[in-house]
């Protein structure tokens, strides 16, 4: 069979694609290839894992009667479309990495209802994609900063912080996230963004703490709470999606996402360590507060719900989706913490907590139009041992090798346990994930 190989330059650019009035069901592989590429890029810009993009593209390709072979990175898509001996190859990329669960829900809705678009022209379909692509932050900057503070304040309580630490972490996280958003608007590179954001959060924590000490007369033993003020920078979304990609053998994408996650964690931890040294802060364990077990249970439920809701807002989830995620997170994270209190290991508790999150998300997803990942990742992010990682790198950088190695080992095992729990839940509840296709 003679084959023609049309390289990426032969595929129409978006402007040409948008003016075509041809029905998308007609036999024109260049236009079909451009359509698939644009859908893939929108998915990639949402921060979703590669196996999810491939699943959506397979669904579209079946309707278009073509075959697509794709390779993904964290910012790039390389793909070839084949039909009746003709092929079309494209390499596309997005400028930056981000998370947008509202846009993800809309593009997933488009894919699920794609059959109704087959009789429409490319111009009409492209207009629909324009609306989806333009979905940006649905919350204002003050709102996202406020919910960042709420998430970090709740996180601080869950890792053992008291009232002073919670207040300081909340206010410092608000200021730190404001710096982060401002730097993003000016397209500052991720490396400098993370460093400046961490410096802003930690210094803000120190200022707020000193003001509280001066005006309220409390002691300075609340230094360790500075770790809570920087937990919004934890790259939970790319880390979890990297593990899911690797589990589905999308190795290249998984490794790139994992590397990106580790880059942010290491930069944040080293930056926090430097500021802590300058401010003479030490990430020692918090003071132990004796609380009635039933009251502690209720407070954990509330704090977990508030923390997960805050992270959902940072991931740009709609209020109803954030509420579902908060309900899931409050149940699963409280179960995890109670299991630890009962003597269960951190690793097994993390696996069970993530497993509960995955199963509850599947139950909700059956009755509501959303994506599972919008529910599972925010509910699991609250379980990521960010404080352990930051404490480990602080201790290692100050030559406390034994203690640093202990906390580092603990954090790594807990980190690996969370995606394992989600994987088990996905395998149990999703037959498409359970089988190779």
């Amino acid at each position: 069979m003679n084959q023609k190989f049309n390289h990426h330059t032969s595929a129409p650019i978006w402007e040409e694609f948008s003016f075509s009035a041809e029905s998308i069901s007609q036999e024109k592989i260049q236009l079909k290839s451009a359509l698939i590429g644009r859908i893939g890029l929108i998915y990639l810009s949402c921060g979703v894992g590669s196996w999810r993009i491939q699943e959506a593209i397979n669904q579209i390709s079946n309707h278009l009667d073509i075959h697509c072979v794709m390779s993904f990175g964290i910012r790039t898509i390389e793909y070839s479309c084949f039909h009746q001996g003709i092929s079309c190859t494209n390499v596309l990329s997005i400028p930056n990495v981000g998370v947008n669960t509202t846009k993800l829900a809309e593009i997933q809705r488009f894919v699920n209802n794609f059959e109704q678009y087959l009789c429409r022209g490319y111009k009409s379909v492209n207009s629909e994609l324009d609306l989806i692509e333009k979905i940006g932050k649905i919350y204002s900057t003050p709102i996202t900063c406020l919910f960042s503070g709420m998430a970090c304040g709740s996180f601080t309580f869950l890792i053992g912080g008291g009232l002073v630490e919670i207040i300081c972490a909340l206010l410092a996280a608000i200021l730190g996230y404001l710096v982060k958003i401002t730097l993003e608007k000016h397209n500052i590179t991720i490396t400098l963004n993370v460093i400046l954001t961490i410096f802003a959060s930690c210094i803000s924590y120190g200022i707020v703490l000193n003001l509280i000490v001066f005006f309220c007369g409390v002691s300075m033993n609340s230094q360790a709470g500075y770790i809570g003020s920087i937990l919004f920078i934890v790259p939970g979304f790319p880390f979890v999606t990297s593990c899911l990609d690797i589990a589905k053998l999308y190795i290249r994408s998984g490794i790139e996402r994992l590397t990106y996650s580790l880059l942010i964690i290491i930069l944040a931890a080293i930056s926090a360590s430097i500021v802590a040294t300058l401010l003479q802060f030490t990430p020692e364990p918090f003071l132990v507060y004796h609380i009635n077990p039933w009251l502690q249970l209720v407070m954990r439920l509330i704090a977990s719900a508030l923390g997960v809701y805050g992270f959902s807002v940072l991931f740009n989830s709609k209020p109803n989706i954030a509420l579902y995620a908060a309900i899931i997170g409050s149940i699963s994270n409280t179960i995890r913490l109670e299991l630890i209190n009962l003597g269960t290991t951190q690793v097994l508790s993390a696996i069970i907590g993530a497993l509960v999150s995955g199963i509850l998300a599947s139950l909700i997803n059956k009755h509501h139009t959303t994506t599972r990942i919008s529910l599972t990742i925010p509910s699991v992010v609250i379980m990521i041992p960010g404080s352990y990682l930051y404490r480990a790198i602080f201790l290692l950088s100050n030559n406390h090798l034994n203690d640093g190695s202990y906390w580092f080992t603990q954090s790594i095992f807990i980190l690996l346990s969370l995606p394992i729990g989600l994987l088990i839940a996905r395998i149990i509840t999703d037959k498409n994930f359970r089988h190779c296709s």
Side-chain angles (χ1 to χ4, degrees):
M1 180 184 296
N2 294 326
Q3 292 186 345
K4 297 179 181 179
F5 293 97
N6 301 312
H7 297 285
H8 66 279
T9 52
S10 67
I13 58 177
W14 301 136
E15 287 78 6
E16 296 172 353
F17 168 62
S18 64
F19 290 137
S20 175
E22 294 183 58
S23 168
I24 62 176
S25 61
Q26 293 184 4
E27 306 293 334
K28 207 154 191 180
I29 190 172
Q30 292 91 345
L31 289 174
K32 292 180 178 180
S33 175
L35 174 60
I36 283 176
R38 184 166 195 198
I39 292 172
L41 278 186
I42 292 175
Y43 267 102
L44 199 64
S45 69
C46 297
V48 71
S50 298
W51 70 271
R52 169 62 73 187
I53 305 175
Q54 183 70 72
E55 187 178 70
I57 295 303
N58 289 344
Q59 193 173 337
I60 296 292
S61 300
N62 289 336
H63 287 300
L64 295 177
D65 191 30
I66 61 176
H67 178 66
C68 284
V69 178
M70 311 191 79
S71 176
F72 303 93
I74 192 172
R75 291 177 51 235
T76 59
I77 299 178
E78 302 164 15
Y79 69 102
S80 295
C81 296
F82 302 88
H83 179 69
Q84 295 182 351
I86 301 176
S87 69
C88 185
T89 299
N90 290 279
V91 180
L92 307 172
S93 67
I94 55 174
N96 207 346
V97 179
V99 177
N100 191 331
T101 55
T102 296
K103 185 194 290 189
L104 175 60
E106 289 302 308
I107 190 63
Q108 188 63 47
R109 177 195 57 78
F110 175 88
V111 170
N112 291 340
N113 300 312
F114 185 73
E115 194 170 3
Q116 71 184 44
Y117 295 98
L118 288 173
C119 60
R120 294 168 61 175
Y122 283 95
K123 183 176 182 179
S124 174
V125 173
N126 196 65
S127 297
E128 183 83 11
L129 292 174
D130 280 341
L131 295 175
I132 296 174
E133 193 171 41
K134 290 176 182 177
I135 296 175
K137 297 292 183 182
I138 62 175
Y139 301 99
S140 65
T141 296
I143 292 296
T144 52
C145 291
L146 179 62
F147 278 100
S148 169
M150 185 178 77
C152 290
S154 301
F155 212 142
T156 302
F157 168 77
L158 293 170
I159 61 178
L163 182 61
V164 173
E165 291 94 336
I166 293 170
I167 294 172
C168 292
L170 188 151
L171 296 176
I174 290 175
L175 294 172
Y177 201 81
L178 178 61
V179 171
K180 180 177 182 293
I181 291 179
T182 303
L183 294 173
E184 287 175 351
K185 288 180 179 178
H186 289 85
N187 298 318
I188 301 299
T189 182
I190 185 66
T191 304
L192 184 58
N193 189 319
V194 170
I195 293 172
L196 294 179
T197 297
I198 296 301
F199 269 68
S201 293
C202 293
I203 292 173
S204 299
Y205 186 95
I207 293 172
V208 173
L209 177 59
N210 278 279
L211 288 174
I212 292 176
V213 170
F214 180 78
F215 287 105
C216 301
V218 300
S219 63
M220 280 290 291
N221 59 4
S222 301
Q223 304 168 7
Y226 81 91
I227 293 179
S229 69
I230 59 177
L231 292 176
F232 64 83
I233 207 76
V234 172
F237 221 94
F239 173 74
V240 174
T241 53
S242 74
C243 295
L244 295 175
D245 275 349
I246 292 173
K248 291 292 285 184
L249 299 184
Y250 289 88
I251 304 299
R252 174 194 165 192
S253 172
I255 293 298
E256 287 190 20
R257 291 177 187 277
L258 183 60
T259 303
Y260 172 80
S261 303
L262 293 176
L263 170 66
I264 293 178
I265 291 173
I266 292 170
L267 282 174
I270 292 176
S271 301
S273 176
I274 292 172
V275 181
T277 301
L278 295 175
L279 298 178
Q280 296 184 336
F281 285 176
T282 55
E284 297 297 329
F286 294 103
L287 296 176
V288 178
Y289 298 94
H290 299 285
I291 305 175
N292 179 280
W294 291 106
L295 177 60
Q296 186 180 52
L297 176 65
V298 172
M299 293 177 70
R300 281 176 170 176
L301 284 168
I302 295 172
S304 297
L306 292 175
V308 173
Y309 195 98
F311 282 117
S312 294
V313 169
L314 300 188
F315 296 150
N316 207 43
S317 295
K318 290 182 177 179
N320 62 323
I321 303 302
L323 179 60
Y324 289 134
I327 294 170
I328 293 171
S330 66
I331 296 171
S332 59
N333 190 49
T334 302
I335 288 174
R336 179 184 71 90
L337 294 173
E338 291 299 317
L339 286 173
I340 293 173
N341 282 359
L342 293 173
T344 308
T345 64
Q346 293 264 14
V347 171
L348 182 57
S349 300
I351 291 175
I352 293 174
L355 175 63
V356 172
S357 288
I359 291 175
L360 291 177
S362 296
L363 294 175
I364 291 176
N365 195 43
K366 288 181 180 179
H367 301 93
H368 298 276
T369 304
T370 184
T371 54
R372 281 175 48 113
I373 201 169
S374 303
L375 301 173
T376 53
I377 293 186
S379 65
V380 166
V381 165
I382 200 77
M383 305 179 193
I384 289 179
S387 60
Y388 286 13
L389 282 168
Y390 295 137
R391 183 177 289 126
I393 292 182
F394 175 87
L395 292 170
L396 290 172
S397 65
N398 285 276
N399 295 322
H400 299 289
L401 301 184
N402 290 334
D403 291 339
S405 299
Y406 168 78
W407 288 110
F408 187 75
T409 304
Q410 284 283 310
S411 61
I412 291 300
F413 278 108
I414 297 171
L415 273 175
L416 295 177
S417 300
L418 297 175
I420 289 174
L422 290 179
L423 281 170
I424 295 172
R426 191 88 195 201
I427 290 169
I428 292 172
T429 59
D430 188 350
K431 65 178 182 180
N432 292 327
F433 194 91
R434 195 159 52 238
H435 299 283
C436 296
S437 60

